[in-house]
Amino acid sequence: MSGGDMAKPLLGHRSVEGDHSVAPTAGRTVGVLGSGDFARSLAIRLVCSGFKVVVGSRNPKRKAGLFPSAAEVTFQAEAVKKTDVIFVAVFREHYSTLCDLADVLAGKILVDVSNNTEINHHKESNAEYLASLFPACTVVKGFNVISAWTLQSGARDGNKQVLICSNNQEAKRIVAEIAQVMGFTPVDMGCMSSACEIENIPLRLLPAWKIPIFLALGLFLFFFTYNLVRQVIHPYIRGQKKFYKIPIEVVNTTLPCVAYIMLSLVYLPGVLAACSQLYYGTKYRRFPDWLDQWLRHRKQIGLLSFFCAALHAVYSLCLPMRRSHRYQLIETAVKQAMEKKTDVWVEEEVWRMEIYISVGIIALGLLSLLAITSLPSIANSLNWREFSFVQSTLGFIALLISTLHTLTYGWSRAFDENQYKFYLPPTYTLTLLVPCTVILARVIFSLPCIQQRLLRIRRGWEKGRYVKFVLPSATGEYSSGETSSNV
């Protein structure tokens, strides 16, 4: 694939960025109807891009000072007469105020930049409604996913993609030219029926993060409740009040559990996908929808894992600052003095804590590297092999080191009957289930017999498929035949 193809937006629609028929349009006169924040930012950006801008306002004398001096601010009727491309920067409920300009607007291109306040708030999109009010005009939906801040600061500091749709190809081409000269990347989203979807895009709140966030919250609530029972409820029943542990200790015990399991959930769907390919003997069989969605959310799951791990590190650094910790330290010292203990050094515990902290720092460093390389600006600077090495190889190493970090934390507690409060095992033993499953599966997949078969499947080999072969005969002639690819 050429470098130009790789630079195109990764959307399931055609981008007009690489269309060489698009000619520079700087110097064209462009109209803007409206005098709000977006209209003002749009006018500034158009002027900076070399366009002549005419702003139509119902009160031009009052609004003239809000626009750049290079832009002409006049009455709406006068502005419409001076250009063939007009940005309609007014709210949907104010479209009817433009009906008096219907005769003057006939034959012109209207670019609808409006958004709704709610998803699917109306039966028809704003652009379709505008087109119904002005049937003699050509309506193009676009620029609604660009914020006023992005328009003023330029395409460097915001989303560069401008989604465009219309029933008129020539009108889309003209608007795409304008977007391209302004420094944005126009993306053809098809006909006007796509306007509703385009208008819904700015209203969605983190659509790709919804499932990972709920997953992280579910794990947090589960382990928080589990640790609360073990560290607070159990001592309370036995006459010890330890509710002070809830804000710091219980939360700090819960965060690494969530981070560790979330990290393993990044690599578990890859294991399940490999098992599916090995079982069916093909890469062309579609994965179940839940697995497909899981694979698509791995980036968000990994970033949430890093977030929880970073919070765990901060909470751990704050543990000695607590007043309760100071009281316990003094109490322990007084108790040892009264018992006349002069040597409290436990070699095994010293080495355990040294290894535990060191391994934890390394694991957090690797998670930081994974999080940084997942950023688009960093990922785009890496080739596929580099990106795959960081996210797959180093990510698996991070999972291994995190497992070692967990094991050194638990040490021999799993074999201490006093650790089973209410017959509940230590928390860290529960967190080991999923990661150890992933690690064991990766080890099995690395066996040559399985690795080679999986590699053949991913290169197009299919179980049960018949392939043709050609063999030389005794007379020197070649004869063809068929055999199963299972052989």
Side-chain angles (χ1 to χ4, degrees):
M1 183 178 292
S2 63
D5 293 334
M6 291 293 292
K8 293 181 180 179
L10 297 178
L11 292 177
H13 298 273
R14 182 178 62 88
S15 170
V16 298
E17 181 184 14
D19 189 354
H20 298 287
S21 64
V22 175
T25 58
R28 175 196 290 270
T29 301
V30 178
V32 178
L33 294 181
S35 54
D37 293 336
F38 191 87
R40 183 166 60 252
S41 301
L42 183 61
I44 293 173
R45 189 62 191 162
L46 287 169
V47 169
C48 293
S49 301
F51 293 95
K52 297 178 182 179
V53 179
V54 181
V55 180
S57 174
R58 288 175 292 181
N59 194 343
K61 291 184 179 180
R62 182 181 176 184
K63 302 294 184 179
L66 301 177
F67 292 86
S69 57
E72 179 185 354
V73 183
T74 182
F75 290 99
Q76 292 180 342
E78 294 296 324
V80 170
K81 294 178 181 179
K82 297 181 178 182
T83 179
D84 293 329
V85 180
I86 303 165
F87 285 85
V88 182
V90 298
F91 293 108
R92 176 191 176 109
E93 53 267 26
H94 297 154
Y95 286 171
S96 58
T97 61
L98 304 176
C99 290
D100 295 338
L101 306 175
D103 294 336
V104 187
L105 288 172
K108 298 184 182 296
I109 298 175
L110 303 182
V111 184
D112 177 45
V113 299
S114 66
N115 282 315
N116 291 313
T117 56
E118 299 177 8
I119 295 178
N120 298 325
H121 186 60
H122 302 283
K123 292 183 179 180
E124 59 180 354
S125 65
N126 294 347
E128 291 172 321
Y129 175 62
L130 181 64
S132 66
L133 293 178
F134 301 95
C137 300
T138 302
V139 177
V140 178
K141 185 69 187 183
F143 286 86
N144 65 302
V145 297
I146 302 295
S147 65
W149 167 255
T150 302
L151 286 170
Q152 289 194 30
S153 59
R156 299 183 304 274
D157 298 326
N159 184 13
K160 291 189 62 176
Q161 291 185 341
V162 174
L163 310 183
I164 299 172
C165 74
S166 176
N167 292 331
N168 189 292
Q169 292 293 333
E170 180 63 19
K172 282 194 293 185
R173 187 187 67 81
I174 293 174
V175 176
E177 293 178 20
I178 296 174
Q180 205 166 6
V181 174
M182 293 171 67
F184 298 103
T185 304
V187 180
D188 187 351
M189 299 291 287
C191 59
M192 187 59 71
S193 59
S194 302
C196 186
E197 176 64 21
I198 296 177
E199 292 174 3
N200 287 337
I201 290 176
L203 301 177
R204 294 194 175 101
L205 179 62
L206 302 174
W209 288 84
K210 186 177 297 184
I211 295 178
I213 288 176
F214 279 115
L215 175 62
L217 288 176
L219 288 172
F220 183 87
L221 290 176
F222 170 77
F223 282 107
F224 182 85
T225 304
Y226 192 87
N227 291 322
L228 183 68
V229 171
R230 286 178 46 83
Q231 299 181 29
V232 179
I233 304 299
H234 182 269
Y236 179 74
I237 293 177
R238 308 192 71 173
Q240 299 176 346
K241 295 182 180 180
K242 295 188 177 182
F243 292 98
Y244 67 88
K245 290 186 175 184
I246 295 177
I248 300 295
E249 283 195 41
V250 176
V251 173
N252 190 43
T253 309
T254 301
L255 286 172
C257 299
V258 179
Y260 186 37
I261 291 184
M262 292 287 283
L263 179 61
S264 64
L265 292 179
V266 174
Y267 299 97
L268 181 57
V271 171
L272 297 178
C275 291
S276 174
Q277 291 176 342
L278 287 172
Y279 179 78
Y280 292 106
T282 180
K283 70 171 185 177
Y284 301 107
R285 183 183 178 89
R286 181 179 175 84
F287 295 134
D289 289 338
W290 59 268
L291 181 57
D292 189 56
Q293 290 293 327
W294 193 351
L295 289 167
R296 294 183 182 184
H297 287 97
R298 287 181 296 177
K299 173 183 175 180
Q300 289 77 15
I301 295 175
L303 289 175
L304 287 175
S305 171
F306 167 71
F307 175 71
C308 293
L311 286 181
H312 170 55
V314 175
Y315 268 85
S316 299
L317 291 175
C318 294
L319 288 177
M321 302 180 187
R322 298 173 304 146
R323 183 68 63 179
S324 59
H325 177 77
R326 298 178 185 179
Y327 288 154
Q328 289 175 349
L329 188 62
I330 295 173
E331 183 182 356
T332 303
V334 172
K335 184 178 180 180
Q336 291 175 354
M338 293 180 64
E339 295 177 357
K340 297 181 179 180
K341 291 184 178 180
T342 58
D343 186 10
V344 294
W345 184 279
V346 180
E347 189 74 17
E348 179 181 343
E349 283 298 307
V350 171
W351 274 101
R352 182 183 73 84
M353 288 303 298
E354 295 292 324
I355 297 174
Y356 165 71
I357 295 175
S358 177
V359 172
I361 294 173
I362 296 174
L364 182 60
L366 288 175
L367 283 178
S368 303
L369 182 61
L370 294 174
I372 292 174
T373 53
S374 66
L375 298 175
S377 57
I378 304 299
N380 292 337
S381 64
L382 303 175
N383 60 39
W384 173 247
R385 186 173 183 180
E386 294 169 342
F387 182 79
S388 178
F389 172 77
V390 173
Q391 294 294 327
S392 180
T393 306
L394 291 186
F396 182 67
I397 293 175
L399 183 61
L400 286 175
I401 295 179
S402 299
T403 303
L404 181 60
H405 178 67
T406 305
L407 291 174
T408 52
Y409 169 78
W411 207 247
S412 59
R413 296 182 188 180
F415 308 103
D416 184 1
E417 62 180 10
N418 294 326
Q419 295 295 325
Y420 288 79
K421 301 174 181 179
F422 289 139
Y423 300 101
L424 298 176
T427 310
Y428 83 96
T429 58
L430 299 182
T431 63
L432 288 169
L433 296 177
V434 178
C436 289
T437 301
V438 174
I439 293 173
L440 180 61
R442 290 289 294 264
V443 171
I444 294 176
F445 289 155
S446 64
L447 297 176
C449 56
I450 298 180
Q451 186 181 35
Q452 290 298 324
R453 183 179 179 88
L454 189 60
L455 182 62
R456 290 175 61 195
I457 292 174
R458 291 175 176 175
R459 288 185 175 181
W461 179 85
E462 291 185 84
K463 180 174 66 175
R465 184 186 65 180
Y466 284 88
V467 295
K468 291 185 177 182
F469 63 91
V470 179
L471 295 175
S473 63
T475 59
E477 298 179 352
Y478 288 88
S479 61
S480 62
E482 291 184 348
T483 185
S484 171
S485 60
N486 289 328
V487 179

mmCIF file of all heavy atoms in Angstrom, residues 222-245:
data_model
loop_
_atom_site.group_PDB
_atom_site.id
_atom_site.type_symbol
_atom_site.label_atom_id
_atom_site.label_comp_id
_atom_site.label_asym_id
_atom_site.label_seq_id
_atom_site.Cartn_x
_atom_site.Cartn_y
_atom_site.Cartn_z
ATOM 1 N N PHE A 222 -16.600 -4.905 42.584
ATOM 2 C CA PHE A 222 -16.487 -6.274 43.075
ATOM 3 C C PHE A 222 -15.325 -6.414 44.048
ATOM 4 O O PHE A 222 -15.492 -6.923 45.174
ATOM 5 C CB PHE A 222 -16.310 -7.249 41.911
ATOM 6 C CG PHE A 222 -15.950 -8.647 42.341
ATOM 7 C CD1 PHE A 222 -16.921 -9.500 42.857
ATOM 8 C CD2 PHE A 222 -14.643 -9.104 42.254
ATOM 9 C CE1 PHE A 222 -16.592 -10.785 43.267
ATOM 10 C CE2 PHE A 222 -14.308 -10.389 42.664
ATOM 11 C CZ PHE A 222 -15.285 -11.227 43.169
ATOM 12 N N PHE A 223 -14.137 -5.959 43.641
ATOM 13 C CA PHE A 223 -12.962 -6.120 44.502
ATOM 14 C C PHE A 223 -13.006 -5.182 45.708
ATOM 15 O O PHE A 223 -12.470 -5.512 46.774
ATOM 16 C CB PHE A 223 -11.688 -5.894 43.693
ATOM 17 C CG PHE A 223 -11.308 -7.060 42.838
ATOM 18 C CD1 PHE A 223 -11.479 -7.010 41.463
ATOM 19 C CD2 PHE A 223 -10.808 -8.224 43.399
ATOM 20 C CE1 PHE A 223 -11.144 -8.094 40.664
ATOM 21 C CE2 PHE A 223 -10.463 -9.311 42.609
ATOM 22 C CZ PHE A 223 -10.641 -9.246 41.239
ATOM 23 N N PHE A 224 -13.629 -4.006 45.556
ATOM 24 C CA PHE A 224 -13.769 -3.115 46.699
ATOM 25 C C PHE A 224 -14.649 -3.766 47.763
ATOM 26 O O PHE A 224 -14.324 -3.736 48.967
ATOM 27 C CB PHE A 224 -14.372 -1.784 46.257
ATOM 28 C CG PHE A 224 -14.512 -0.786 47.370
ATOM 29 C CD1 PHE A 224 -13.446 0.022 47.730
ATOM 30 C CD2 PHE A 224 -15.714 -0.653 48.055
ATOM 31 C CE1 PHE A 224 -13.559 0.947 48.759
ATOM 32 C CE2 PHE A 224 -15.840 0.264 49.089
ATOM 33 C CZ PHE A 224 -14.765 1.071 49.432
ATOM 34 N N THR A 225 -15.747 -4.355 47.338
ATOM 35 C CA THR A 225 -16.626 -5.052 48.291
ATOM 36 C C THR A 225 -15.920 -6.251 48.915
ATOM 37 O O THR A 225 -16.021 -6.491 50.131
ATOM 38 C CB THR A 225 -17.912 -5.521 47.579
ATOM 39 O OG1 THR A 225 -18.558 -4.395 46.967
ATOM 40 C CG2 THR A 225 -18.866 -6.175 48.558
ATOM 41 N N TYR A 226 -15.185 -6.989 48.107
ATOM 42 C CA TYR A 226 -14.454 -8.166 48.600
ATOM 43 C C TYR A 226 -13.414 -7.747 49.644
ATOM 44 O O TYR A 226 -13.309 -8.370 50.721
ATOM 45 C CB TYR A 226 -13.781 -8.863 47.426
ATOM 46 C CG TYR A 226 -13.242 -10.239 47.724
ATOM 47 C CD1 TYR A 226 -14.050 -11.360 47.606
ATOM 48 C CD2 TYR A 226 -11.919 -10.411 48.116
ATOM 49 C CE1 TYR A 226 -13.552 -12.627 47.880
ATOM 50 C CE2 TYR A 226 -11.415 -11.673 48.390
ATOM 51 C CZ TYR A 226 -12.229 -12.778 48.272
ATOM 52 O OH TYR A 226 -11.745 -14.033 48.545
ATOM 53 N N ASN A 227 -12.645 -6.710 49.352
ATOM 54 C CA ASN A 227 -11.631 -6.226 50.290
ATOM 55 C C ASN A 227 -12.267 -5.581 51.519
ATOM 56 O O ASN A 227 -11.703 -5.664 52.626
ATOM 57 C CB ASN A 227 -10.714 -5.218 49.600
ATOM 58 C CG ASN A 227 -9.835 -5.870 48.548
ATOM 59 O OD1 ASN A 227 -9.356 -6.985 48.736
ATOM 60 N ND2 ASN A 227 -9.626 -5.187 47.435
ATOM 61 N N LEU A 228 -13.415 -4.942 51.346
ATOM 62 C CA LEU A 228 -14.118 -4.347 52.478
ATOM 63 C C LEU A 228 -14.544 -5.416 53.480
ATOM 64 O O LEU A 228 -14.415 -5.237 54.705
ATOM 65 C CB LEU A 228 -15.332 -3.567 51.977
ATOM 66 C CG LEU A 228 -16.150 -2.810 53.034
ATOM 67 C CD1 LEU A 228 -15.348 -1.657 53.606
ATOM 68 C CD2 LEU A 228 -17.451 -2.296 52.430
ATOM 69 N N VAL A 229 -15.021 -6.513 52.955
ATOM 70 C CA VAL A 229 -15.434 -7.618 53.832
ATOM 71 C C VAL A 229 -14.230 -8.189 54.585
ATOM 72 O O VAL A 229 -14.293 -8.446 55.804
ATOM 73 C CB VAL A 229 -16.148 -8.714 53.018
ATOM 74 C CG1 VAL A 229 -16.390 -9.959 53.866
ATOM 75 C CG2 VAL A 229 -17.463 -8.190 52.461
ATOM 76 N N ARG A 230 -13.134 -8.357 53.884
ATOM 77 C CA ARG A 230 -11.946 -8.973 54.491
ATOM 78 C C ARG A 230 -11.231 -8.031 55.456
ATOM 79 O O ARG A 230 -10.780 -8.459 56.524
ATOM 80 C CB ARG A 230 -10.975 -9.426 53.402
ATOM 81 C CG ARG A 230 -11.405 -10.675 52.653
ATOM 82 C CD ARG A 230 -10.407 -11.011 51.552
ATOM 83 N NE ARG A 230 -9.034 -10.938 52.026
ATOM 84 C CZ ARG A 230 -8.406 -11.924 52.669
ATOM 85 N NH1 ARG A 230 -9.047 -13.061 52.920
ATOM 86 N NH2 ARG A 230 -7.164 -11.772 53.071
ATOM 87 N N GLN A 231 -11.092 -6.768 55.093
ATOM 88 C CA GLN A 231 -10.262 -5.854 55.868
ATOM 89 C C GLN A 231 -11.025 -5.030 56.895
ATOM 90 O O GLN A 231 -10.422 -4.488 57.827
ATOM 91 C CB GLN A 231 -9.517 -4.903 54.921
ATOM 92 C CG GLN A 231 -8.595 -5.610 53.950
ATOM 93 C CD GLN A 231 -7.859 -4.627 53.042
ATOM 94 O OE1 GLN A 231 -7.596 -3.490 53.414
ATOM 95 N NE2 GLN A 231 -7.527 -5.071 51.838
ATOM 96 N N VAL A 232 -12.337 -4.887 56.747
ATOM 97 C CA VAL A 232 -13.098 -4.021 57.640
ATOM 98 C C VAL A 232 -14.218 -4.785 58.359
ATOM 99 O O VAL A 232 -14.321 -4.743 59.590
ATOM 100 C CB VAL A 232 -13.686 -2.817 56.861
ATOM 101 C CG1 VAL A 232 -14.508 -1.938 57.792
ATOM 102 C CG2 VAL A 232 -12.573 -2.002 56.216
ATOM 103 N N ILE A 233 -15.062 -5.480 57.591
ATOM 104 C CA ILE A 233 -16.217 -6.162 58.187
ATOM 105 C C ILE A 233 -15.776 -7.301 59.103
ATOM 106 O O ILE A 233 -16.280 -7.448 60.236
ATOM 107 C CB ILE A 233 -17.169 -6.681 57.086
ATOM 108 C CG1 ILE A 233 -17.596 -5.525 56.168
ATOM 109 C CG2 ILE A 233 -18.374 -7.363 57.716
ATOM 110 C CD1 ILE A 233 -18.333 -4.417 56.868
ATOM 111 N N HIS A 234 -14.827 -8.106 58.639
ATOM 112 C CA HIS A 234 -14.362 -9.234 59.448
ATOM 113 C C HIS A 234 -13.738 -8.777 60.768
ATOM 114 O O HIS A 234 -14.092 -9.317 61.843
ATOM 115 C CB HIS A 234 -13.376 -10.080 58.641
ATOM 116 C CG HIS A 234 -12.875 -11.283 59.369
ATOM 117 N ND1 HIS A 234 -11.737 -11.275 60.146
ATOM 118 C CD2 HIS A 234 -13.375 -12.559 59.473
ATOM 119 C CE1 HIS A 234 -11.538 -12.456 60.668
ATOM 120 N NE2 HIS A 234 -12.524 -13.258 60.284
ATOM 121 N N PRO A 235 -12.837 -7.792 60.776
ATOM 122 C CA PRO A 235 -12.319 -7.307 62.069
ATOM 123 C C PRO A 235 -13.403 -6.701 62.956
ATOM 124 O O PRO A 235 -13.349 -6.823 64.192
ATOM 125 C CB PRO A 235 -11.279 -6.256 61.660
ATOM 126 C CG PRO A 235 -10.888 -6.631 60.282
ATOM 127 C CD PRO A 235 -12.123 -7.177 59.658
ATOM 128 N N TYR A 236 -14.396 -6.038 62.358
ATOM 129 C CA TYR A 236 -15.460 -5.409 63.148
ATOM 130 C C TYR A 236 -16.278 -6.462 63.894
ATOM 131 O O TYR A 236 -16.655 -6.273 65.061
ATOM 132 C CB TYR A 236 -16.365 -4.591 62.238
ATOM 133 C CG TYR A 236 -17.511 -3.934 62.961
ATOM 134 C CD1 TYR A 236 -17.307 -2.830 63.775
ATOM 135 C CD2 TYR A 236 -18.803 -4.445 62.839
ATOM 136 C CE1 TYR A 236 -18.360 -2.232 64.452
ATOM 137 C CE2 TYR A 236 -19.868 -3.863 63.514
ATOM 138 C CZ TYR A 236 -19.635 -2.761 64.313
ATOM 139 O OH TYR A 236 -20.678 -2.185 64.986
ATOM 140 N N ILE A 237 -16.554 -7.573 63.220
ATOM 141 C CA ILE A 237 -17.298 -8.652 63.878
ATOM 142 C C ILE A 237 -16.499 -9.234 65.047
ATOM 143 O O ILE A 237 -17.073 -9.652 66.065
ATOM 144 C CB ILE A 237 -17.655 -9.740 62.844
ATOM 145 C CG1 ILE A 237 -18.657 -9.194 61.823
ATOM 146 C CG2 ILE A 237 -18.215 -10.978 63.518
ATOM 147 C CD1 ILE A 237 -19.021 -10.164 60.738
ATOM 148 N N ARG A 238 -15.186 -9.173 64.934
ATOM 149 C CA ARG A 238 -14.328 -9.706 65.990
ATOM 150 C C ARG A 238 -13.938 -8.640 67.011
ATOM 151 O O ARG A 238 -13.042 -8.849 67.816
ATOM 152 C CB ARG A 238 -13.083 -10.328 65.367
ATOM 153 C CG ARG A 238 -13.404 -11.342 64.274
ATOM 154 C CD ARG A 238 -12.212 -12.143 63.866
ATOM 155 N NE ARG A 238 -11.810 -13.083 64.891
ATOM 156 C CZ ARG A 238 -10.856 -14.016 64.707
ATOM 157 N NH1 ARG A 238 -10.241 -14.106 63.534
ATOM 158 N NH2 ARG A 238 -10.525 -14.835 65.673
ATOM 159 N N GLY A 239 -14.612 -7.470 66.918
ATOM 160 C CA GLY A 239 -14.419 -6.441 67.942
ATOM 161 C C GLY A 239 -13.388 -5.388 67.624
ATOM 162 O O GLY A 239 -13.046 -4.569 68.496
ATOM 163 N N GLN A 240 -12.881 -5.319 66.413
ATOM 164 C CA GLN A 240 -11.877 -4.318 66.034
ATOM 165 C C GLN A 240 -12.484 -3.358 65.022
ATOM 166 O O GLN A 240 -13.015 -3.783 63.990
ATOM 167 C CB GLN A 240 -10.634 -4.997 65.434
ATOM 168 C CG GLN A 240 -9.936 -5.944 66.393
ATOM 169 C CD GLN A 240 -8.776 -6.662 65.727
ATOM 170 O OE1 GLN A 240 -8.634 -6.657 64.510
ATOM 171 N NE2 GLN A 240 -7.938 -7.295 66.534
ATOM 172 N N LYS A 241 -12.396 -2.055 65.321
ATOM 173 C CA LYS A 241 -12.920 -1.041 64.419
ATOM 174 C C LYS A 241 -11.798 -0.545 63.500
ATOM 175 O O LYS A 241 -10.873 0.130 63.951
ATOM 176 C CB LYS A 241 -13.497 0.128 65.215
ATOM 177 C CG LYS A 241 -14.705 -0.248 66.058
ATOM 178 C CD LYS A 241 -15.259 0.974 66.786
ATOM 179 C CE LYS A 241 -16.469 0.586 67.628
ATOM 180 N NZ LYS A 241 -17.036 1.754 68.343
ATOM 181 N N LYS A 242 -11.924 -0.901 62.232
ATOM 182 C CA LYS A 242 -10.912 -0.502 61.256
ATOM 183 C C LYS A 242 -11.550 0.179 60.044
ATOM 184 O O LYS A 242 -11.103 0.006 58.912
ATOM 185 C CB LYS A 242 -10.111 -1.724 60.801
ATOM 186 C CG LYS A 242 -9.284 -2.338 61.929
ATOM 187 C CD LYS A 242 -8.363 -3.423 61.422
ATOM 188 C CE LYS A 242 -7.503 -3.963 62.555
ATOM 189 N NZ LYS A 242 -6.534 -5.008 62.072
ATOM 190 N N PHE A 243 -12.569 0.963 60.304
ATOM 191 C CA PHE A 243 -13.237 1.675 59.208
ATOM 192 C C PHE A 243 -12.350 2.750 58.587
ATOM 193 O O PHE A 243 -12.612 3.205 57.477
ATOM 194 C CB PHE A 243 -14.541 2.297 59.720
ATOM 195 C CG PHE A 243 -15.593 1.296 60.081
ATOM 196 C CD1 PHE A 243 -15.780 0.909 61.399
ATOM 197 C CD2 PHE A 243 -16.385 0.716 59.100
ATOM 198 C CE1 PHE A 243 -16.744 -0.027 61.743
ATOM 199 C CE2 PHE A 243 -17.360 -0.224 59.431
ATOM 200 C CZ PHE A 243 -17.532 -0.594 60.752
ATOM 201 N N TYR A 244 -11.311 3.177 59.314
ATOM 202 C CA TYR A 244 -10.390 4.181 58.778
ATOM 203 C C TYR A 244 -9.639 3.671 57.553
ATOM 204 O O TYR A 244 -9.049 4.452 56.786
ATOM 205 C CB TYR A 244 -9.389 4.600 59.860
ATOM 206 C CG TYR A 244 -8.428 3.519 60.284
ATOM 207 C CD1 TYR A 244 -7.217 3.335 59.620
ATOM 208 C CD2 TYR A 244 -8.731 2.648 61.329
ATOM 209 C CE1 TYR A 244 -6.336 2.337 59.997
ATOM 210 C CE2 TYR A 244 -7.862 1.648 61.700
ATOM 211 C CZ TYR A 244 -6.663 1.493 61.039
ATOM 212 O OH TYR A 244 -5.793 0.495 61.405
ATOM 213 N N LYS A 245 -9.644 2.362 57.316
ATOM 214 C CA LYS A 245 -8.930 1.789 56.171
ATOM 215 C C LYS A 245 -9.654 2.004 54.847
ATOM 216 O O LYS A 245 -9.053 1.832 53.780
ATOM 217 C CB LYS A 245 -8.725 0.279 56.381
ATOM 218 C CG LYS A 245 -7.725 -0.083 57.463
ATOM 219 C CD LYS A 245 -7.496 -1.586 57.485
ATOM 220 C CE LYS A 245 -6.400 -1.965 58.468
ATOM 221 N NZ LYS A 245 -6.113 -3.425 58.433
#
